[in-house]
Amino acid sequence: MSTFDQAENADTDAKTLAALFGTKYDPQKSYVMYIIDRGENFELDGSDIFVPTFENIRKKLKTDFNGELSPKIIDEIMNENYSSQFRLYWKHFNEFLSDSEKEWYSSFDTNEAKFFSANYFNNESDIDTFISRQKILSEIGAWEVFTGDGLTEFNGIKGKPGALEILEIQHSPKTINELLEHKEIIKIEL
């Protein structure tokens, strides 16, 4: 997610938008862009919006996800060092899923990460860190290309900055249909 001005030069070109946000583009797929109007009273629905740096994500995870992940493991995995390792692990995890004819997004509510970890890693610490990092990815984002400095990677090229990211944690989220119904978002087919 980013601000409109970060994406407006890409217009409605799905390939350019994907590159700007470091997302893989598949010309065989259809894409949709949502423009969200947070309005003047966005604080009323209990959401927090911030630039997702390693420091900001660690703080948010320690407060909003208290009890789900220990502060110690959050510090171990939400940093530049582990981020580089996770990128490699995520690649192997996706290969593992592909061999099973599954997609990465189908792994969020299943035990694939646990099964992969038990077969890929040799010790409990590595298993715990991978599963915890994958949990963060599935809950709030921070993909394998997460840089921790608030910028995306342009076209997934390490070190080449893309758009400024923002992360919104909604405490009482509405569904896409509810947002469309109340005209709080615009859906654009790309």
Side-chain angles (χ1 to χ4, degrees):
M1 194 160 118
S2 190
T3 60
F4 184 72
D5 61 331
Q6 291 288 310
E8 76 178 315
N9 287 338
D11 195 33
T12 57
D13 180 1
K15 185 175 183 179
T16 304
L17 285 164
L20 184 64
F21 291 102
T23 303
K24 294 176 183 82
Y25 173 75
D26 181 347
Q28 303 303 314
K29 293 186 177 179
S30 298
Y31 292 88
V32 174
M33 176 172 54
Y34 291 100
I35 299 175
I36 304 169
D37 180 6
R38 296 303 296 137
E40 295 175 9
N41 299 317
F42 71 92
E43 292 177 346
L44 294 177
D45 66 6
S47 65
D48 300 317
I49 299 173
F50 59 95
V51 174
T53 61
F54 284 125
E55 181 180 343
N56 290 342
I57 293 253
R58 283 192 300 264
K59 283 182 195 174
K60 183 55 69 179
L61 289 168
K62 288 176 184 178
T63 56
D64 287 18
F65 294 83
N66 189 12
E68 292 182 47
L69 297 169
S70 75
K72 181 178 181 251
I73 201 142
I74 291 168
D75 289 337
E76 285 178 31
I77 60 179
M78 292 313 296
N79 60 61
E80 191 172 346
N81 217 17
Y82 188 77
S83 187
S84 295
Q85 292 175 325
F86 184 71
R87 178 178 275 209
L88 175 65
Y89 300 155
W90 186 254
K91 179 180 180 250
H92 292 292
F93 179 52
N94 275 277
E95 290 167 357
F96 166 80
L97 290 171
S98 181
D99 289 346
S100 305
E101 297 183 5
K102 296 178 182 172
E103 298 283 340
W104 58 267
Y105 51 81
S106 66
S107 69
F108 292 164
D109 296 322
T110 62
N111 290 319
E112 271 94 356
K114 291 178 184 176
F115 186 69
F116 165 79
S117 298
N119 291 293
Y120 186 79
F121 298 109
N122 295 323
N123 64 62
E124 283 297 316
S125 176
D126 289 342
I127 291 170
D128 289 345
T129 53
F130 178 81
I131 290 171
S132 296
R133 183 62 177 81
Q134 197 266 351
K135 179 178 177 60
I136 292 168
L137 184 152
S138 70
E139 292 288 332
I140 63 169
W143 300 95
E144 83 281 7
V145 294
F146 177 66
T147 61
D149 64 2
L151 298 173
T152 61
E153 282 188 350
F154 183 81
N155 210 18
I157 300 170
K158 193 167 176 69
K160 185 171 183 179
L164 174 69
E165 289 185 275
I166 57 173
L167 182 61
E168 179 178 14
I169 306 288
Q170 296 180 354
H171 302 289
S172 301
K174 295 177 184 174
T175 67
I176 295 286
N177 287 335
E178 289 172 324
L179 291 168
L180 286 167
E181 184 179 313
H182 295 109
K183 299 186 180 359
E184 294 177 46
I185 63 172
I186 298 169
K187 179 180 177 180
I188 300 172
E189 304 283 339
L190 302 178

